[in-house]
Amino acid sequence: VDFDFAVIGGGIVGLATARALRERYPAARLLVLEKEGTWAAHQTGHNSGVLHSGIYYKPGSLKARLARTGGAAMVAYCREKGIAYEVCGKVIVAVEECEIPLLDRLHQRGMDNGIPVERIGPERLRELEPYARGLAALHVPGAGIVDYGEVARTLAYDLAQGGAMMHTGVRVTRLRPETGRVVLETAAGETLGARFVINCAGLHSDRVARLGGVLPGLRIVPFRGEYYELTPERRALVRNLIYPVPDPAFPFLGVHFTRMIDGTVHAGPNAVLGLKREAYRKTDFDARDAAEVLTYPAFWRLAARHFGAGAEEVWRSLSKAAFVRSLRRLIPEVTARDVVPAHAGVRAQALMQDGTLADDFVLLPGPRAIHVCNAPSPAATASLEIGRLITDEVARHGDAPT
Ligand SMILES: Cc1cc2nc3c(=O)[nH]c(=O)nc-3n(C[C@H](O)[C@H](O)[C@H](O)COP(=O)(O)OP(=O)(O)OC[C@H]3O[C@@H](n4cnc5c(N)ncnc54)[C@H](O)[C@@H]3O)c2cc1C
């Protein structure tokens, strides 16, 4: 018997979507397929663990709306399930005169988005973060921390308890839309049937969309984010979350200090082009993945526009001294002895054919399917609401099971 819904991808977006489908269609036969041996093996298990408040995003965008409502839903879910989280607040610090207008613009944007945010001076900054230095800052009390891997595993457990068929270690290699159903083929040679498919395949979401007969008009470009960690005796340098003023030309937030929910303090992530979709190490290379980026004209348009910033990122990735220099802008006391290399994560960032980085979440309809082709930060924060939005889209889709 066919499933009603098959979700491809066991990251937080796929799992939250399965949960929302379960809420809306309680009797539906639900299947979740994850290619790795565990849930949350990629972006969901390798990030900063920050509950974003929604200050950064363009008013009216999905990111702005869903970060705010999704953040509240995430806090409620963690409370209900006994998952550790903390709404500890964060500061965004301007360290140079030229950053002040950008900080003010961000302040306005936060207010436009309805986010509680306060403009503070150096003294108040010192009260909140005694080791941070800056000319001015924004205090965002609603930001927080959580372990999204734990959230994802809890979602998967709940779904299994509720009767969903949950499979790890199953990679979807083909999708074949037929009358009334989609046939999914797996790397192990199995075939499964579903009346509707939701593609939440993260770093592979563009490929899965193409498998499903959709030309997405974008390609996923992997951007590795490397972190250092403060040594245990220097953790006191950071109370909560200390961010720089982001460069408005990029969707990334800049190298920041993050107290994780387990008490460690991480510094990062940078943003370096990966030559493999899951390029966790600097040397990771995959010929097909690299060729897909390097033969994509949009990539060269992006590279030409941001050559200087890209070169700087590569240098900061190779040189610990350069990385520490960017940390010292925020906390001058940090030295190279205080930090050790920690984990890395890889962002699935959609690059549009015109050479621009997709700014907002991207959902594309296909035959008997919805493809989530751009769900970068703050998609973990927003995941429960993204799941509900996708379920609304499913309900509107002409091919949806009833
Ligand atoms: C360095 C970094 C820092 C970040 N910091 C934050 C933060 O602080 N706060 C925040 O809200 N967001 C943050 N994000 C973003 C957040 O982690 C992602 O938006 C979110 O995890 C996306 O979830 P996902 O389920 O779409 O993707 P993923 O977690 O990548 O899940 C996709 C899954 O699909 C599976 N898959 C792929 N292809 C197939 C296939 N063919 N068959 C079966 N399975 C398949 C993959 O194995 C993977 O597990 C950060 C991301 C990174 C990389």
Side-chain angles (χ1 to χ4, degrees), residues 91-97 99-101 103-104 118-126 132-139 243-245 330:
V91 290
I92 303 170
V93 183
V95 295
E96 286 173 51
E97 208 58 57
E99 291 175 331
I100 301 271
L103 190 79
D104 288 335
E118 190 192 354
R119 175 83 142 73
I120 59 173
E123 290 90 72
R124 177 73 180 128
L125 174 61
R126 210 169 292 199
R133 291 291 173 273
L135 302 175
L138 299 180
H139 179 218
Y243 279 69
V245 178
L330 295 168

Side-chain angles (χ1 to χ4, degrees), residues 9 11-13 34-35 42-44 47-48 50 172 201 227 375-376 379 381:
I12 201 163
V13 173
E34 164 54 49
K35 72 180 165 67
H42 290 295
Q43 296 176 91
T44 301
N47 55 49
S48 299
V50 172
V172 175
Y227 293 83
T381 304

Side-chain angles (χ1 to χ4, degrees), residues 18 39 49 60 65 68 72 76 93 108 124 172 176 290 388:
W39 307 110
R65 180 155 63 85
R68 204 179 57 233
V93 183
Q108 186 58 47
R124 177 73 180 128
V172 175
R176 227 179 32 247
R388 293 201 180 106

